[in-house]
Amino acid sequence: MQTSSDRHEYPAHWEADVVLRDGGTARIRPIAADDADRLVSFYEQVSAESKYYRFFAPYPRLSAKDVHRFTHHDFVDRVGLAATVGGEFIATVRYDRINADGLPASAPADEAEVAFLVQDAHQGRGVASALLEHVAAVARERGIRRFAAEVLPANSKMIKVFTDAGYQQKRSFEDGVVRLEFDLEPTDRSLAVQRAREQRAEGRSVARLLAPGSVAVIGAGRAPGGVGRSVLDNLREAGFTGRLYAVNGALQEKELDGVPAYRSVRDIPEPVDLAVVAVPAERVPAVVAECGEHGVQGLVVVSAGYAESGPEGRERQRELVREARTYGMRIIGPNAFGIINTSPRVRLNASLAPEMPRTGRIGLFAQSGAIGIALLSRLHRRGGGVTGVTGVSTFVSSGNRADVSGNDVLQYWYEDPDTDVALMYLESIGNPRKFTRLARRTAAAKPLVVVQGARHGGAAPQGHAVRATRLPHATVSALLRQAGVIRVDTITELVDAGLLLARQPLPAGPRVAILGNSESLGLLTYDACLAEGLRPLPPADLTTAASAEDFHAALSHALADDGCDAVVVTAIPAVGEASTADATLAEALRSASAAAPAKPVLVVHVELGGLAEALSAAASTAPQPGEQSGGQPTVQSAGRSGEQPAGTGPEAGGGPHPFRSAERPSAQGERRTPDEAAPEAESRLIPAYPASERAVRALAEAVKYGQWRREATDPGRVPEYEDIDEKGAAEQIDRLLGGGGEGAAAEPAVGEAGLTLGPEDTCALLGRYGIGVRRALPAPTPGEAVAAAERLGYPVALKTTAPHLRHRADLGGVRLDLADEEQLRRAYAELTSLFGKPEELRPVVQGMAPRGVDTVLRAVIDPAAGAVLSFGLAGAASELLGDTAHRLIPVTDRDAASLVRSIRTAPLLFGWRGSAPADVAALEELLLRLSRLVDDHPEVVSVSLEPVVVAPRGLSVLGASVRLAPPPARDDLGPRTLPVY
């Protein structure tokens, strides 16, 4: 592309792909000198009315001077951006820097006049809103702080673009023109508007893929068995409600098994919404071009041979995404297993799964095709899970997730009324900061259960391009839990938790009643509850002679008890008892549960007879295909043709069985709290598990999630402290990063690793945020150690600061409570004789702090996840056990309180075994102040306070280190863009 050489090179970093309001994509890029023909062509397609609104007068065509002006920019004072689809302009925006009199100007003038023009065919797609976000970001980069726009009063659409953007603005009317002025600094409202638009656009882009009106399978062969033909057969057999086409360049036939067949997608006379691409990788670019020219909205690429095959394949994958986005299409894949939508309105099985899952309320996302197959198989078979229990709403297997990712699917599920629970298998998280934000919002509306593969491999799976993160997996897991994500470790746990959450109400607390006809199974369940942190009541043994009526009465009594929040029923059927008794027991439990719909009920069973069949039968009363609307549900086994699948017992990892009558989803897919239990609760599911630990683990996750939901309604606040000197801290940071200030530990120039501050600068910066560090004086000789002690006052501590001994009291590098000069000199001699010369040990003398609990506080900015605050007790034991808690910054007062209490060794802070309780309030305030420092100044990329001694009254920070660096780029605060991997 030809570039302007007026003042700046072509700014390629301004190029971006965006999702528009209708779910299509467009590319935004700077307008350059060689865009003259595109600009003229674009202008010719704009209506006379739109031209009048842009120029305030009839303006049928652009003059040569206009074309030159609108295509030649200096990319500083004059900037033009275009939104393109298929390489052609669909909208433009430009700004011109002006002075206070409205005349052309250069810096330091910080105001610019902005104007838009959108092709009429693309108005209403949110193009202007997206362009405004991007041109505002460009302007801020170039030192412009305010936009002015003049709009005719009749141009209501353009006025709405400005007024809805969320910026602070002024509005005036003069000479028949509306003048709008607005600051470009992002506000809470502008950010909220941007994210709401992002959610609608990205959700809509996934909806277009999952609910197409027509599908073309490209690469469907004549003979059954190939990938393309399998997808075509699966679509046909699932009963896809839209139009279906087969495409293959070698076909001579007009039909394939009744499906209209064509040699090219261009030959299809009707529009095509979705194309499934199943051709060799080298032929995919031509297919994508044909689809784009035909107006296809989205692609599912099942073809392999991309990033998973090496560097050449990775570049082929990038080119695939670039080409598809050029035409406004989104991609699932490549190397994808496919997508499924069980809605009766769609019936889409555009995947390699040979059988369509039953309609249900669970959404599934899997990056791995193999895991996707395993999930669908487990959910389908009778002994293994939720198909026939709650079923599946949608399924997406993203393969290499070169474009559509888990973030996009979360955007869709958030407002999808057909999905109550979201289950995700992730091998990598491309944008952890965004995923955490979306997960928090989704989890506030419906449960989100995640299992993460490749946790300990140290690298992303082949085919996945992800941002580097320095955070260990345990920290990432903790941050996901903070966002309300239910984190599990295995696919079995994923299905177990999803089954419970799909139809049971959330428990109001951890108190669990246990009842059943086996004392041993009851005790196992009791122990499992204790191990998971629940509060079980003593098990009620009904004895092996218990009848269905006894179970009904006992369950009814337990549910009526205000002292329990959930009930686990353990059931061992009598050997040789008829299956009718099992059905009777299932109905007894179901009816008792239906009478008290506010509390969850789970069943733990041992397969000794016909109970499993009764459970499956009771589970299969959802309306079957062909059942008359409003008719009575028929009772069928969840297995096909009623056969018993192999390997469904507990040893084979078989999943839970359920009790359930006809499914009745809650309105708009909302989760009901116990106080909002629906009157139709008689239809809810009762899941049953083949092992007590599986049932209890799922229940424990539901308890923790329920507590998070309740606390999420009041997340707390970030306190304001009057003694914080934010301005002074910013000035000090600017000075230090500019090369000034002391800092023996720092290099003269700030490199990528940043600048580690010396003790004086560290104490000064922390002090501006009310964080005092107990003074430590260097002691390079015994005499200087004595002098330092006399300045500080006895008793003192003598400790080394050498990296290999720092904070290692267990190695003997610290001497405490030195009461006089004699003890100090003796301790000095011991340290140097044991560990080496003073210049190696770097000893310091510090005044003794009040006794208390030693803790460690750290804050770090991770390039992928963002700013993270960590807390734990000091010492090798906590480090060995990994007993550290984490929260995302900014931290609220409630976050700080939960952070302190969430480590396993927290009892040491609260008077464990008769010790004096520590001043936890002071500790929480210190956490909040540290959070404020890092949040206010992103240049503070790392802070460590170690140790912090928390006494019964007050605390002492004995050691501190701070590292500064230019802040990493934050894409979550900029304009909406699609990621480029």
Side-chain angles (χ1 to χ4, degrees), residues 214-238:
S214 56
V215 177
V217 180
I218 304 174
R222 298 184 184 90
V227 173
R229 182 58 184 267
S230 296
V231 174
L232 181 69
D233 292 343
N234 295 341
L235 278 160
R236 189 186 68 250
E237 292 172 7

Side-chain angles (χ1 to χ4, degrees), residues 473-497:
H473 173 73
T475 304
V476 175
S477 295
L479 298 180
L480 291 180
R481 285 193 176 277
Q482 181 192 359
V485 174
I486 301 170
R487 272 280 295 108
V488 296
D489 294 325
T490 67
I491 293 299
T492 298
E493 292 175 0
L494 184 76
V495 174
D496 287 350

Side-chain angles (χ1 to χ4, degrees), residues 17 321 325 330 402-403 405 431 434 467 977-981:
D17 294 310
V321 174
R325 289 180 179 173
R330 300 214 66 183
D403 181 24
S405 68
N431 188 340
K434 181 176 179 179
R467 303 176 187 189
T977 63
L978 283 171
V980 179
Y981 297 122

Side-chain angles (χ1 to χ4, degrees), residues 891-933:
V891 166
T892 68
D893 51 0
R894 296 197 64 153
D895 288 332
S898 68
L899 184 63
V900 169
R901 291 160 178 78
S902 58
I903 58 174
R904 284 172 285 174
T905 46
L908 293 174
L909 293 164
F910 295 91
W912 186 65
R913 299 184 68 175
S915 61
D919 192 346
V920 174
L923 178 59
E924 292 173 3
E925 180 178 330
L926 179 61
L927 287 164
L928 290 165
R929 288 178 179 272
L930 179 56
S931 169
R932 277 286 310 274
L933 170 65

Side-chain angles (χ1 to χ4, degrees), residues 950-961:
V950 189
R953 294 189 63 182
L955 54 77
S956 302
V957 180
L958 303 186
S961 64

